[in-house]
Amino acid sequence: MSAKTLGRARGPLQGSVSVPGDKSVGHRALLLGTLAEGTLSVRGLSGGQDVASTRRCLEAMGARFSESPGLLRVLGVGLRGLKAPKGPLDCGNSGTTMRLLMGVLSGQTFPAELFGDASLSGRPMERVAAPLRLMGADIKTTDGKPPVRVSGRPLKGIRYALPVASAQVKSAVLLAGLYAEGETVVEDPFGTRDHTERMLAFLGHPGPLRSEKALTVPGDPSSAAFFAAAAVLVPGSRLTLSRVLLNEGRLGFFTALQEMGARVSWSRGGVHARETVGDVVADHGALKPLRLAAERVPGLVDEVPLLAVLCAFADGESRLEGLGELRHKESDRLAATAAGLTALGGRARVDGEALVVSGPARWTGGRVETHGDHRLAMAFAVAALGGAGPGALSDA
Ligand code: S3P
């Protein structure tokens, strides 16, 4: 794949930006809309490949969608309406697709196989398979990774305490719980994102899932984060990110930015489909270093590479703790973030599960390896806008 050259911003960033719909909410709208009775009208769905992967897998099992400009109708087939796919299900690059589907497939009456791209094929799946097996599921992973084979079985409810901070594991168990006899309870001491719980409640759970409703997916705060960060770094900037998802479990990045002294604020505009939505405003300003405790990581887990980039612009040493889960994302984001910063002339090192970043960096520019990981590419593109370049990104 081609390398992309990156330069600094040519002037202040000003105006208002609408980012694509939240990816986590989008997956759940398609999945739970399919398992409901009725038609769910979805606006603002992310046009990215991950949500498309979920759609494709569901279509391969008989789900139906009708599309018109700006609107996707999910024609629900009901909890028992999925059919055996003709071949293996391609989850692409999307861990959420694979892990949530493992939960749904556990309760079906047919077998299915899930596979993904090179990145997804390296990611751990036993963390999902293990609790599902406790419910009675028949799941085989390949040395703990994809491809994953799931044979539908009668399930029983369990009480399960999450051993890892993963909303995907939690969601897989809850989705299997829709098919289980008795109650399923997941204890989540980490406070991971709760979009599955909210979407279930929106569609009528507990009780039959009914989708005669309309839903506009709020903007993805994990995408808005890049624009907010760019505004903070580029002198004279002020950006408004409009209609962003402001779920408490997703605000960690913006809260951390405020602690660093950045002029970032948000206002809650209302609640839609059980999720809070509102605008975020970010202005240019100087940054102080950050101390981030491990328990705050679930609230900004996808934003850590970007946060580390910002720390490199701050005046002093930042320490971000408890980043072990970053090793299991689309790439080893812990190692790759430190390597990327170092490649551009920054000072960053991994210390166990912590990332230590010393700022302000004396940037030299350089070539950053993205490992095909979208969040690394975006984080380092923002670094270059802020003056860390000229840079080049592999696999941009
Ligand atoms: C997600 C949960 C998080 C996050 C991912 C999306 C979700 O992963 O990193 O981008 O939609 O449930 P984990 O469940 O592995 O923490």
Side-chain angles (χ1 to χ4, degrees):
M1 252 175 269
S2 63
K4 180 147 181 76
T5 308
L6 297 169
R8 68 185 312 146
R10 270 171 299 197
L13 310 174
Q14 281 164 346
S16 175
V17 181
S18 299
V19 294
D22 185 67
K23 197 152 69 116
S24 294
V25 171
H27 286 297
R28 286 151 174 92
L30 299 191
L31 196 55
L32 287 168
T34 293
L35 300 181
E37 313 257 354
T39 299
L40 182 63
S41 299
V42 185
R43 288 189 167 74
L45 193 69
S46 156
Q49 289 178 15
D50 282 1
V51 173
S53 292
T54 290
R55 174 178 171 174
R56 217 179 29 242
C57 289
L58 289 167
E59 280 172 334
M61 292 188 283
R64 285 179 310 128
F65 302 90
S66 108
E67 217 166 342
S68 47
L71 172 68
L72 184 74
R73 287 195 181 82
V74 186
L75 311 175
V77 298
L79 214 48
R80 294 284 166 197
L82 293 178
K83 301 203 168 51
K86 291 205 170 61
L89 299 168
D90 183 357
C91 301
N93 188 242
S94 176
T96 308
T97 302
M98 184 170 288
R99 292 184 175 137
L100 268 54
L101 281 178
M102 285 170 71
V104 172
L105 288 170
S106 292
Q108 305 303 315
T109 53
F110 53 79
E113 183 175 323
L114 299 158
F115 72 102
D117 70 3
S119 152
L120 184 52
S121 299
R123 297 180 65 183
M125 295 298 150
E126 275 302 318
R127 52 176 59 196
V128 190
L132 294 173
R133 284 192 200 108
L134 295 176
M135 301 176 79
D138 177 356
I139 304 185
K140 288 186 185 60
T141 64
T142 311
D143 294 329
K145 296 172 182 162
V148 176
R149 268 170 284 274
V150 187
S151 300
R153 288 275 180 279
L155 304 177
K156 56 180 190 311
I158 55 166
R159 174 174 281 272
Y160 189 68
L162 282 184
V164 282
S166 168
Q168 295 172 352
V169 174
K170 174 175 67 176
S171 299
V173 175
L174 292 177
L175 291 169
L178 293 174
Y179 295 91
E181 195 171 312
E183 200 173 64
T184 297
V185 178
V186 182
E187 291 164 15
D188 176 5
F190 308 101
T192 66
R193 62 190 70 189
D194 60 0
H195 308 301
T196 300
E197 297 90 305
R198 287 176 189 273
M199 188 64 72
L200 280 167
F202 175 62
L203 297 177
H205 190 77
L209 300 182
R210 298 216 183 280
S211 57
E212 263 338 315
K213 296 172 194 289
L215 160 71
T216 301
V217 182
D220 194 327
S222 301
S223 301
F226 298 113
F227 291 91
V232 168
L233 292 183
V234 178
S237 298
R238 160 167 261 210
L239 286 179
T240 300
L241 292 319
S242 54
R243 276 204 98 262
V244 175
L245 174 71
L246 296 179
N247 179 307
E248 282 298 326
R250 301 286 298 282
L251 291 177
F253 174 77
F254 299 113
T255 311
L257 263 187
Q258 279 187 335
E259 274 171 48
M260 295 176 77
R263 288 186 294 152
V264 174
S265 61
W266 52 94
S267 53
R268 292 176 174 80
V271 175
H272 175 69
R274 307 248 174 174
E275 295 281 9
T276 303
V277 185
D279 292 350
V280 177
V281 181
D283 289 84
H284 169 68
L287 293 172
K288 295 183 287 194
L290 177 71
R291 297 243 142 207
L292 188 82
E295 57 268 23
R296 291 176 56 195
V297 173
L300 47 69
V301 63
D302 292 328
E303 287 73 74
V304 172
L306 181 63
L307 195 57
V309 160
L310 289 168
C311 290
F313 286 89
D315 193 3
E317 187 179 274
S318 294
R319 193 177 168 88
L320 315 179
E321 305 271 359
L323 304 182
E325 274 301 299
L326 265 74
R327 299 193 193 278
H328 306 300
K329 298 296 178 187
E330 283 84 331
S331 67
D332 177 348
R333 287 185 182 156
L334 184 50
T337 299
L341 285 172
T342 308
L344 294 173
R347 278 171 299 153
R349 64 186 167 86
V350 177
D351 177 16
E353 295 203 334
L355 189 60
V356 183
V357 182
S358 305
R362 283 193 289 274
W363 301 113
T364 56
R367 181 185 163 93
V368 174
E369 295 299 327
T370 65
H371 305 278
D373 184 333
H374 56 120
R375 297 205 201 272
L376 290 173
M378 290 294 291
F380 286 103
V382 169
L385 278 183
L393 293 180
S394 72
D395 290 349

